[in-house]
Amino acid sequence: MQGARLYRDLPWRNLDDPYAVLVSEIMLQQTQVARVGRFWERFLARFPTLDALASAGTADVLEMWQGLGYNRRALALKKTADVCAAERGGTLPDTAEELQALPGIGPATAAGVVAFAFNRPSLYLETNVRTVFLHELYPDCEGVSDKQLVPLVADTCPPDDARAWYYALLDYGAHLKTQVANPSRRSAHYTRQSAFEGSRRQKRAELVRVVLAAPGITADELAVRLDEFERAGARDGVDAVIFDSIVADLVSEGFFRRDGDVFLP
């Protein structure tokens, strides 16, 4: 099979540690493989177990996540560690259904942990897997739904080595994207990722970075720092209403807290 020939020796592969696999699956969401390696190794060195992550402060977790993007993933991972430490003796469940009940774990992430950590059959339908099935089975079709693919993915997953099977699909799918027009664009669920530069998401990330770097910063100074950041990128300054809205969201979501007129991690 093509996937075996194209096998990528990635540091999170062939591990029986569900936590380490979960961290890789969360990091790989919307992030290229080449960027994840150093973050994964650094994160696990700092938080080697679920209990270690649960014992850490949110600010420490976000600090280790800086540069990876999508900070919500870090918060969800921390919440999952908190739940598992409090209710499961610091272990992850071993079924997709139980995994999906934890914060930030969707169907694909849960299936990935089941297949890669426990080497059991699962329904792992993510971008590269979807790419293979669209390329091989629906070469001339547009708008193919996951509902069409789900039974095919489930039926082809072998009972005895799901891990190797999905590694092969992932590697073949990644290869296909370098050889042909991305087949996943023919999925009914394909959406082009919005631009990061100048986006609300970028402003959120910058505010989190500033508060982590300058605990106790005042609201006025935080607004000035964000305004300077935007102007340095040749963009207009930030409207006060937008600033207040973003800050309120970040506080309510737990990225940092407000104490009077200052912000703290």
Side-chain angles (χ1 to χ4, degrees), residues 126-147:
E126 63 78 72
T127 302
N128 284 336
V129 174
R130 186 181 290 111
T131 293
V132 173
F133 279 82
L134 289 171
H135 177 74
E136 295 291 342
L137 302 179
Y138 295 91
D140 302 313
C141 298
E142 298 289 338
V144 180
S145 72
D146 282 355
K147 186 177 181 180

Side-chain angles (χ1 to χ4, degrees), residues 206-207 210-211 217-231 237-240 242-244 247 263:
E206 178 62 12
L207 288 173
V210 171
V211 173
I217 191 170
T218 66
D220 287 345
E221 179 59 23
L222 186 59
V224 168
R225 296 280 288 274
L226 183 60
D227 194 76
E228 291 174 346
F229 174 79
E230 288 296 292
R231 294 185 186 280
V238 180
D239 180 89
I242 294 176
F243 171 79
D244 289 342
V247 167
F263 295 96

Side-chain angles (χ1 to χ4, degrees), residues 66-225:
Q66 291 304 292
L68 192 57
Y70 297 96
N71 289 315
R72 280 194 183 95
R73 296 179 297 175
L75 282 188
L77 188 56
K78 171 73 166 79
K79 291 174 182 176
T80 282
D82 293 342
V83 171
C84 290
E87 301 177 6
R88 297 188 53 85
T91 63
L92 281 169
D94 62 359
T95 68
E97 293 75 18
E98 291 175 295
L99 285 163
Q100 286 182 65
L102 294 169
I105 300 183
T109 300
V113 173
V114 170
F116 301 135
F118 300 108
N119 201 17
R120 295 206 315 264
S122 67
L123 179 57
Y124 186 58
L125 182 54
E126 63 78 72
T127 302
N128 284 336
V129 174
R130 186 181 290 111
T131 293
V132 173
F133 279 82
L134 289 171
H135 177 74
E136 295 291 342
L137 302 179
Y138 295 91
D140 302 313
C141 298
E142 298 289 338
V144 180
S145 72
D146 282 355
K147 186 177 181 180
Q148 294 169 262
L149 299 181
V150 161
L152 302 174
V153 176
D155 289 346
T156 54
C157 181
D160 56 346
D161 199 356
R163 175 189 284 169
W165 170 247
Y166 281 125
Y167 285 162
L169 289 177
L170 289 171
D171 295 342
Y172 181 35
H175 173 72
L176 282 173
K177 290 177 180 178
T178 70
Q179 304 298 310
V180 298
N182 187 355
S184 65
R185 294 176 182 172
R186 294 188 280 103
S187 166
H189 312 282
Y190 175 79
T191 55
R192 186 181 297 275
Q193 188 173 7
S194 60
F196 181 66
E197 287 295 319
S199 67
R200 185 181 180 93
R201 183 161 60 88
Q202 187 184 37
K203 294 177 181 64
R204 285 170 55 96
E206 178 62 12
L207 288 173
V208 170
R209 187 195 67 79
V210 171
V211 173
L212 288 174
I217 191 170
T218 66
D220 287 345
E221 179 59 23
L222 186 59
V224 168
R225 296 280 288 274

